[in-house]
Amino acid sequence: MMEEVKEAASVLSVHDDSIKVTEVLKDGDTLTFIIVSQKLSGTGEYHVDRTYEDFEWLQQHLFSQEDVPGIQGVIFPPLPAKPQVNASSRSIKQLGFLALGECQPYCKALETFLQQVAAHSILSKNKAVEVFLTSSDPPGRQKVKKNIFNRLSQAVEEMRKEGHKDVDEFFQNERDHNLVLTGCTKTAAEKFLDVVATEQKIAVACGHFSTALHLCVEPGEDPDKQAFSRVCVKLSEVFESIKKNMTSVAENNVNTLGLGLDLESRYQEAEREMLFRRTCKLVELENARRNTEKAKPVKKAAMEEVKKAAETEFEHISGVAKQEIERFQGARVEMLQQALVSWCEKQLLTAKESADQFNQHLEVFRGMA
Amino acid sequence: MATSSERSPPPFPDSEDQDVLDTEEVRGRDSDEDEDLFGSPSTSPVTGMDTTLTSDVSMKPPSDIMNDPLIEPMSSQTENKPASEPSDDFFDLTNNVSVVAAAATKSDDFVDILGSETGAQRGEVVKADVTVEATIDKSEVTAGITDPLSQQEAKQTSTAPVIDLSGDSQPVTSKIANPLVDLFSDAPPAAEAKKPSSANVDLFDDEEGSDIFAEPLQTKPAKQLQKSLFGEPDEDVFGEPLGAISKKPVPKEQKEKSVTTKVTAGGPLQDSKPANIFSQAAASTPSVTSTVNSKSNGVHSEEEGDIFAEATVELSLDSPRNERKKEAIAKPSAPTPTSLPAAASLTKPQPPALEELEEEEEEEEEDKFDIFVSVKDPEKIGDGMNAYMAYKVSTQTTLPMFRNKTFTVRRRFSDFLGLYEKLSEKHGPNGFIVPPPPEKSLLGMTKVKVGKEDSSSTDFVERRRGALERYLQRVVNHPSLLQDPDVREFLEREELPRAVSTQALSGAGFLKMINKATDAVSKMTIKMNESDVWFEEKLQEVESADQQFRKLHALVESLVVHRKELSLNTASFAKSAAMLGSAEDNTALSRALSQLAEVEDKMEQLHQEQAANDTFTFAEMIADYIRLLGAVRGSFDHRMKAWQRWQDAQSMLQKKRETEAKLLWANKPDKLQLAKEEIAEWEAKVTQYERDFERVSATVRKEVIRFEREKTKNCKRQIIKYLECLLQSQQQLIKYWEAFLPEAKAIA
């Protein structure tokens, strides 16, 4: 009910699925992303440039909408980690797939983030989203402040509250399941990343080999020598196409399943955070209840107040969380399916193209007298 | 002087006019010219010497002999003499011939001729030995008589007994001698030519075999007498006529001359030339027998016979010198040198075949040998550090030289190395590129010995098996190496004597060997003023190819490493995908993920196969070529060595000549004689070494060309194989994806 009211009040002026991160500009250590989105009103596009700090600003704003009930039950679309221009091995590891290639995967991830935010029924209503997407001026970057969602504090508390027994079986199951899935997805993404990295290494090695073969070409009129040179050049071409094959296989892996697994892994993380926030609230509520029971009559009323407030909030959170989880489950299956299908299709295409090429090379070699 | 030299030639053309009567005589003339051709170079040392008349006689026979392919082995025998070879009798000569052949010097020529002759001819040789022996005895006697005389005189007298021996024609020769003394009139030689021949005819009636030798014996002494007579008035007289002869007769002869000049120049045309000469020699030999049989042409056979006769003379020249060794000479074949016969019998059959084959190869380079060798079933035998790997060597062939079409033997690794050592010892110095086996690997083998059944040790065994197979196939594909008895023994014989001292070839040692060869080559290149640009360029090419192949090998190896890594990573991704699938609640997604895990498992197999493909087609091929390039450099090295030996001999000769000049100046006739002998000896060596060098050069050149052609062919074959594998795996991949796509789409 409340949502409906708000929806009427503030609607995003762009199509959520038209948001694109088209370009990235490198200026020293800072990366600037160009975000393009189509106006809902009709023709025309918004072009804005945003830095990673702007994205952080947006996320903070979304986190800190304290006036929205049950905001803590929302699974916030995960913002990818800060990109590094001169990436160290550790930050690469943290970024996973997003560190590969020439920023395209990263842009893709940011794009997904924005689309998810814009498509989210609660989050899209926030003014900050509109500002972020349409305002030509960069939003105040200094406004970033620490809040209850600070990850560091969360990590400390986590140890204590993670294992807290849930009152709701649904949430208990979800929490257990989420724990398993988060681990598995993370491993799978890492392993897949290894595969891609090796494929890239192979592509590079093929390239080297192909180049080295060119050096074997001997000048001279001697027919024997020329024959050998021809063989070398041809083989060099073969390895060039093996390299291309490997490169596109690796690219396909990154752009489809790689990104899918990465997003899945980050979303699982986000879900876990949400569940944790709910668990925290639950703990808070239980404490309030205990306090109320133990409380002396003088304070009882005040305690009752607190307990009531906590209860409402918890109910809100649980309500939103349930919705969010259901939505998320559907979305992630769809997302993973899409990733798998497009991955498979692309790889199939690449394999067929490569097979064609190899066949041609083979024919050429067979034809060589 | 000049006039006499111009007048003297006619005798020979005269005798040749008679030759023209018969068709065979054309060939006979070839042999005649052949001789001339060898005779002509002899003039140069003679004139170059330009000392006294005595030097002429001592000089000439050896040099004549040297230049004659048939008598060459004898010359090498004479070389042995100063080196205190006690058994210098003629009977040994036949053995020595094969020994020399085993030593793989120029004497192949001689062996070639022997080989082309029938067994009857061999018997004749033996018979000839008998006569020769008698000659020796005689000459000994005369030598003993003429003790106080100078050695040269002893020689002259020794020829007389030889003539005595041949009995029948002695009056004839003396008759010839007389006119000759009358100073080289035109007619007498013709008469000389006729008369011995008539004598020959008589002899032929009695015994064919000995005739050939008996006849030369008588004619040659005549010639020898002639020589000494020529020698006495003026040494130049004899020298020049010979040269004149070689110049005058018929245009054909001039062609021959050009050949000789080329041979001495060491030009690029060289390959075909020796063969040409040999074939002529070979052709002329049968013609000798034929004329003997028909008894039609004594003159011709006389010409031919000179070759043998000269040998006899040579011996009679030597015999005085070897008076001390009479006992040894007296014993005909009993004192056959201890180790020589075995070696001779081992290697004797090979060189002729080799020579034949070489010629064959010239004719059709693309000769495909129908023989396939496979090395299979590596098996560890024994335990602990004494364990070794044994392989099954199966041969499939339709070649008639093997008894069966298929046969299998069991060989251990060191046997392969042993074969290589034998082959490289025998053929390396001739300039052949002997394919090298894989080197010993201490690390790899230790792993196998310890019995760790991990992937690296199986990989090692498989790699080695493949390398051994390719090595053997290369050996049998080489037309010359296939003929080697050791190769056949290796392929056929059930039990092989244990190869020893293969330790030298172990990993580092092998590398060291190659490096040593390279060092030697590079060092020598500085010293060697390379006359042949081709070799210079080729050596550089080989060096750079070696560098490139090494680089390629490193690159392919790293590629293989990455491929293996990919296969490992794919496997672990498959595992984690399976786990993810099992953790997944959504049944369709879970199913798809399990399918994904299966697909990835299959892909891991593909990647593994691809890694093997990379390894065995490229990495191993390139490793083979790195080894082979080492062998190529080795053959260049052998060529350098031959060159070095030639140069050393030349400088030695120069020194000897200087000593002689000094002695001459100091007027010390006793020492002078010794110096002259040494000069003759070194001249012979120089000529021989020069020809050695040229032959090695020719072989190396041919081998390198063959190597390069094979390289291209082999590379292409391997690449096609590689591409086929690649294509196959790609198609397999397509199948996998196609099977997975509906699964992915089924997720709802």
Side-chain angles (χ1 to χ4, degrees):
Chain A
M1 247 186 54
M2 259 198 290
E3 281 168 21
E4 276 167 26
V5 177
K6 286 231 168 184
E7 206 167 272
S10 151
V11 178
L12 215 52
S13 61
V14 294
H15 282 294
D16 52 31
D17 52 357
S18 71
I19 302 167
K20 294 270 181 299
V21 179
T22 54
E23 236 181 302
V24 59
L25 302 171
K26 209 180 271 182
D27 177 27
D29 276 359
T30 45
L31 293 171
T32 311
F33 303 93
I34 310 293
I35 296 153
V36 179
S37 51
Q38 273 191 338
K39 284 176 186 166
L40 205 59
S41 53
T43 51
E45 287 175 334
Y46 289 108
H47 284 250
V48 289
D49 58 321
R50 297 285 178 262
T51 61
Y52 185 77
E53 282 70 31
D54 296 331
F55 279 93
E56 274 187 330
W57 170 86
L58 174 63
Q59 201 180 32
Q60 289 304 332
H61 265 272
L62 294 177
F63 283 158
S64 54
Q65 306 174 76
E66 301 191 1
D67 54 330
V68 180
I71 185 73
Q72 293 184 45
V74 171
I75 301 173
F76 291 101
L79 180 67
K82 190 173 166 34
Q84 302 288 328
V85 177
N86 302 311
S88 64
S89 59
R90 205 179 126 262
S91 69
I92 283 180
K93 187 143 194 201
Q94 205 187 352
L95 275 172
F97 281 98
L98 308 180
L100 296 172
E102 293 282 315
C103 296
Q104 284 102 335
Y106 194 81
C107 290
K108 192 87 188 138
L110 285 181
E111 195 177 293
T112 317
F113 165 74
L114 286 179
Q115 283 175 3
Q116 299 277 1
V117 169
H120 199 278
S121 54
I122 299 169
L123 301 179
S124 63
K125 293 178 189 76
N126 194 299
K127 266 264 177 259
V129 182
E130 174 75 18
V131 170
F132 183 88
L133 287 173
T134 56
S135 167
S136 55
D137 294 324
R141 282 168 199 178
Q142 69 281 13
K143 279 187 193 167
V144 177
K145 57 172 192 234
K146 304 220 164 185
N147 56 25
I148 52 156
F149 299 118
N150 188 290
R151 280 162 199 243
L152 191 73
S153 62
Q154 195 184 48
V156 177
E157 277 176 276
E158 207 162 355
M159 305 299 287
R160 201 151 47 84
K161 294 177 184 169
E162 188 90 287
H164 189 86
K165 183 107 178 70
D166 212 297
V167 287
D168 192 331
E169 204 183 323
F170 172 81
F171 283 106
Q172 184 63 49
N173 279 347
E174 192 56 35
R175 274 166 60 189
D176 294 344
H177 187 220
N178 172 265
L179 204 63
V180 176
L181 266 188
T182 311
C184 282
T185 321
K186 211 167 180 172
T187 333
E190 274 167 14
K191 296 295 177 197
F192 198 58
L193 183 64
D194 286 346
V195 170
V196 171
T198 317
E199 278 165 353
Q200 285 177 335
K201 276 192 226 163
I202 289 176
V204 170
C206 284
H208 285 320
F209 189 65
S210 164
T211 319
L213 275 170
H214 264 293
L215 297 176
C216 283
V217 173
E218 295 163 343
E221 300 296 303
D222 187 6
D224 281 345
K225 249 189 246 171
Q226 281 183 339
F228 185 67
S229 295
R230 269 206 307 279
V231 169
C232 282
V233 170
K234 199 69 209 141
L235 185 62
S236 159
E237 281 171 30
V238 169
F239 269 86
E240 196 59 42
S241 54
I242 294 177
K243 180 195 163 186
K244 275 197 193 118
N245 169 39
M246 262 306 160
T247 316
S248 55
V249 163
E251 249 169 43
N252 293 343
N253 282 345
V254 171
N255 290 336
T256 56
L257 191 60
L259 276 180
L261 284 173
D262 179 68
L263 185 63
E264 161 77 358
S265 142
R266 279 185 292 124
Y267 248 112
Q268 293 285 358
E269 202 80 31
E271 193 200 0
R272 196 167 129 204
E273 273 169 27
M274 184 277 284
L275 288 169
F276 176 68
R277 286 194 300 266
R278 194 190 144 271
T279 313
C280 287
K281 212 62 194 166
L282 178 64
V283 172
E284 198 182 310
L285 177 63
E286 280 172 358
N287 284 344
R289 275 188 188 140
R290 233 174 287 136
N291 288 346
T292 317
E293 276 167 27
K294 285 181 202 160
K296 288 167 185 154
V298 192
K299 284 182 182 172
K300 192 130 192 171
M303 285 300 180
E304 205 69 35
E305 282 283 292
V306 173
K307 196 192 90 178
K308 274 256 166 68
E311 249 169 12
T312 355
E313 204 178 343
F314 180 69
E315 265 163 35
H316 271 297
I317 289 173
S318 291
V320 172
K322 227 171 203 160
Q323 276 181 1
E324 282 284 293
I325 287 169
E326 267 158 25
R327 196 185 59 87
F328 168 65
Q329 293 296 1
R332 68 176 272 273
V333 169
E334 199 185 332
M335 188 272 293
L336 278 178
Q337 189 221 4
Q338 256 180 14
L340 281 173
V341 169
S342 68
W343 178 54
C344 193
E345 278 168 349
K346 278 193 172 174
Q347 295 294 43
L348 196 54
L349 195 70
T350 308
K352 277 178 177 165
E353 276 173 8
S354 304
D356 262 3
Q357 270 187 345
F358 294 156
N359 204 16
Q360 277 171 20
H361 286 307
L362 188 59
E363 289 308 314
V364 169
F365 267 107
R366 280 189 180 138
M368 271 165 94
Chain B
M1 203 63 278
T3 49
S4 66
S5 68
E6 269 174 24
R7 269 196 298 158
S8 55
F12 288 86
D14 268 356
S15 63
E16 269 162 31
D17 286 345
Q18 292 176 337
D19 287 342
V20 186
L21 296 171
D22 207 306
T23 45
E24 278 166 341
E25 281 141 31
V26 181
R27 248 189 262 160
R29 193 157 59 196
D30 282 355
S31 69
D32 178 13
E33 284 146 17
D34 203 4
E35 216 198 313
D36 288 341
L37 128 86
F38 290 112
S40 59
S42 76
T43 56
S44 57
V46 170
T47 45
M49 280 302 299
D50 213 347
T51 48
T52 59
L53 53 146
T54 44
S55 74
D56 177 31
V57 180
S58 61
M59 276 294 304
K60 202 166 293 156
S63 60
D64 276 350
I65 287 156
M66 266 320 292
N67 292 322
D68 202 313
L70 272 170
I71 290 154
E72 195 162 49
M74 297 174 198
S75 73
S76 56
Q77 193 197 20
T78 46
E79 281 164 27
N80 286 343
K81 264 176 213 159
S84 75
E85 185 75 49
S87 53
D88 252 337
D89 61 325
F90 230 100
F91 214 89
D92 271 356
L93 174 74
T94 36
N95 283 335
N96 268 5
V97 168
S98 43
V99 170
V100 171
T105 50
K106 289 275 173 161
S107 53
D108 281 14
D109 320 349
F110 184 82
V111 176
D112 189 57
I113 287 156
L114 276 186
S116 61
E117 282 170 358
T118 54
Q121 186 79 14
R122 228 166 241 280
E124 283 160 13
V125 174
V126 176
K127 277 175 193 164
D129 291 334
V130 178
T131 46
V132 161
E133 227 182 315
T135 324
I136 295 159
D137 287 344
K138 284 281 180 181
S139 60
E140 279 161 22
V141 173
T142 45
I145 293 160
T146 56
D147 209 24
L149 291 168
S150 74
Q151 274 184 328
Q152 189 222 334
E153 281 168 329
K155 277 172 214 155
Q156 281 180 357
T157 44
S158 75
T159 56
V162 173
I163 297 160
D164 280 333
L165 180 85
S166 50
D168 306 301
S169 59
Q170 215 241 328
V172 180
T173 40
S174 62
K175 223 195 280 173
I176 298 157
N178 289 338
L180 279 171
V181 176
D182 291 341
L183 264 178
F184 328 114
S185 65
D186 298 358
E192 172 221 4
K194 271 174 198 162
K195 274 170 187 166
S197 75
S198 63
N200 286 340
V201 171
D202 292 349
L203 279 166
F204 296 154
D205 284 330
D206 313 329
E207 236 181 86
E208 275 181 17
S210 60
D211 287 345
I212 296 169
F213 295 93
E215 169 258 315
L217 273 179
Q218 67 197 12
T219 50
K220 192 58 221 164
K223 233 201 166 184
Q224 175 58 26
L225 257 180
Q226 209 175 324
K227 273 181 197 166
S228 52
L229 284 167
F230 277 123
E232 256 166 63
D234 192 315
E235 49 107 20
D236 269 2
V237 177
F238 190 69
E240 295 219 331
L242 261 180
I245 288 159
S246 65
K247 267 171 215 155
K248 287 225 168 154
V250 265
K252 211 177 185 180
E253 211 265 2
Q254 265 160 359
K255 196 176 78 192
E256 290 298 324
K257 265 212 78 181
S258 67
V259 169
T260 18
T261 48
K262 260 171 204 156
V263 167
T264 40
L269 282 167
Q270 224 256 346
D271 331 53
S272 57
K273 263 42 196 181
N276 199 0
I277 290 161
F278 305 152
S279 63
Q280 272 183 2
S284 62
T285 323
S287 78
V288 172
T289 36
S290 66
T291 44
V292 164
N293 289 337
S294 62
K295 302 166 200 167
S296 58
N297 202 317
V299 178
H300 162 57
S301 61
E302 180 242 338
E303 299 288 341
E304 181 55 39
D306 279 353
I307 295 163
F308 294 94
E310 265 177 341
T312 330
V313 172
E314 157 68 11
L315 192 97
S316 59
L317 283 172
D318 286 330
S319 51
R321 212 191 297 163
N322 293 330
E323 271 171 356
R324 284 152 282 150
K325 296 156 190 167
K326 263 174 203 165
E327 297 82 26
I329 299 165
K331 285 182 246 161
S333 65
T336 35
T338 47
S339 63
L340 284 179
S345 64
L346 241 171
T347 47
K348 214 195 290 185
Q350 188 244 324
L354 191 145
E355 198 76 304
E356 272 166 35
L357 223 115
E358 238 175 273
E359 278 165 32
E360 196 179 287
E361 197 198 4
E362 263 169 32
E363 283 158 21
E364 42 177 339
E365 193 74 48
E366 296 302 311
D367 203 349
K368 194 71 200 157
F369 292 93
D370 192 13
I371 177 163
F372 297 98
V373 182
S374 59
V375 177
K376 284 182 292 206
D377 302 343
E379 187 188 355
K380 196 172 101 175
I381 292 181
D383 281 314
M385 289 318 280
N386 289 324
Y388 62 89
M389 295 302 291
Y391 304 84
K392 216 185 242 175
V393 179
S394 307
T395 314
Q396 255 192 314
T397 180
T398 54
L399 290 180
M401 60 183 275
F402 293 102
R403 280 191 295 275
N404 299 318
K405 288 230 185 300
T406 54
F407 38 88
T408 303
V409 288
R410 230 173 155 71
R411 294 281 175 262
R412 54 182 292 179
F413 182 64
S414 53
D415 293 336
F416 288 85
L417 295 187
L419 176 67
Y420 169 72
E421 286 201 338
K422 279 183 202 159
L423 290 179
S424 65
E425 218 170 275
K426 262 189 268 177
H427 302 282
N430 283 342
F432 283 108
I433 298 170
V434 182
E439 52 272 354
K440 265 193 173 177
S441 162
L442 219 58
L443 183 70
M445 198 52 206
T446 310
K447 264 189 191 166
V448 173
K449 277 174 180 167
V450 168
K452 259 178 35 189
E453 284 296 326
D454 65 345
S455 66
S456 76
S457 83
T458 48
D459 188 51
F460 166 77
V461 169
E462 175 57 22
R463 270 189 187 219
R464 173 171 277 184
R465 186 206 61 77
L468 287 175
E469 187 172 291
R470 289 191 304 277
Y471 153 68
L472 274 191
Q473 191 61 48
R474 281 206 175 88
V475 168
V476 298
N477 276 350
H478 195 290
S480 308
L481 297 182
L482 177 60
Q483 302 299 323
D484 193 286
D486 279 327
V487 172
R488 287 155 77 173
E489 194 177 56
F490 183 87
L491 293 177
E492 276 186 317
R493 212 169 121 181
E494 209 49 59
E495 288 293 319
L496 210 62
R498 177 96 166 78
V500 284
S501 75
T502 53
Q503 211 63 39
L505 276 180
S506 67
F510 190 82
L511 271 180
K512 221 186 287 164
M513 194 179 80
I514 286 175
N515 287 340
K516 218 162 54 191
T518 329
D519 283 354
V521 167
S522 57
K523 252 184 254 161
M524 273 197 222
T525 331
I526 301 162
K527 274 194 279 174
M528 182 167 179
N529 185 12
E530 184 61 86
S531 54
D532 199 331
V533 188
W534 190 88
F535 281 102
E536 206 169 10
E537 280 176 359
K538 268 295 167 234
L539 187 64
Q540 250 161 23
E541 269 172 34
V542 167
E543 301 262 327
S544 71
D546 184 65
Q547 296 266 307
Q548 275 154 6
F549 272 117
R550 272 169 207 278
K551 198 175 162 195
L552 287 183
H553 189 249
L555 287 173
V556 174
E557 286 289 356
S558 79
L559 182 62
V560 169
V561 168
H562 292 323
R563 289 246 199 235
K564 283 181 181 161
E565 194 183 304
L566 179 60
S567 130
L568 280 180
N569 286 339
T570 311
S572 63
F573 174 61
K575 213 175 281 172
S576 62
M579 271 168 65
L580 187 62
S582 68
E584 180 58 52
D585 268 355
N586 187 309
T587 42
L589 187 59
S590 165
R591 216 174 94 91
L593 285 171
S594 322
Q595 291 287 330
L596 171 69
E598 270 178 43
V599 169
E600 288 294 323
D601 265 333
K602 283 180 199 156
M603 272 183 209
E604 186 232 325
Q605 281 298 314
L606 272 189
H607 291 318
Q608 215 166 348
E609 279 161 26
Q610 192 55 49
N613 191 16
D614 280 348
T615 310
F616 291 114
T617 32
F618 276 115
E620 289 296 276
M621 178 180 84
I622 293 170
D624 273 7
Y625 275 105
I626 292 171
R627 280 197 287 268
L628 275 169
L629 283 171
V632 172
R633 286 202 287 192
S635 76
F636 275 94
D637 186 26
H638 281 302
R639 179 175 165 269
M640 295 293 175
K641 272 182 193 152
W643 184 84
Q644 196 65 35
R645 208 167 41 166
W646 173 34
Q647 294 302 308
D648 287 349
Q650 253 181 356
S651 61
M652 194 57 153
L653 178 61
Q654 197 54 42
K655 261 185 226 157
K656 296 285 177 208
R657 278 182 181 155
E658 276 163 18
T659 352
E660 193 212 20
K662 267 183 213 153
L663 286 171
L664 202 64
W665 185 255
N667 200 14
K668 286 180 182 162
D670 47 338
K671 282 185 185 167
L672 197 62
Q673 186 55 38
L674 194 72
K676 279 185 201 309
E677 273 164 24
E678 275 180 355
I679 286 173
E681 190 188 298
W682 278 101
E683 270 177 346
K685 277 187 189 173
V686 166
T687 333
Q688 195 197 333
Y689 288 161
E690 186 182 354
R691 285 177 52 177
D692 275 358
F693 168 67
E694 268 142 24
R695 227 174 78 100
V696 170
S697 294
T699 317
V700 168
R701 180 189 283 259
K702 212 159 58 183
E703 285 281 291
V704 167
I705 289 170
R706 182 179 179 276
F707 165 77
E708 286 186 336
R709 198 163 297 164
E710 287 284 307
K711 181 175 79 175
T712 312
K713 255 198 306 195
N714 189 24
C715 280
K716 217 173 337 183
R717 211 166 37 228
Q718 292 285 343
I719 291 167
I720 288 175
K721 223 169 87 187
Y722 180 79
L723 275 174
E724 278 167 355
C725 280
L726 204 62
L727 192 60
Q728 209 186 344
S729 84
Q730 205 63 234
Q731 273 156 354
Q732 200 61 45
L733 205 61
I734 292 174
K735 269 186 209 158
Y736 293 156
W737 287 124
E738 274 171 349
F740 181 66
L741 190 57
E743 293 287 339
K745 281 183 172 161
I747 308 167

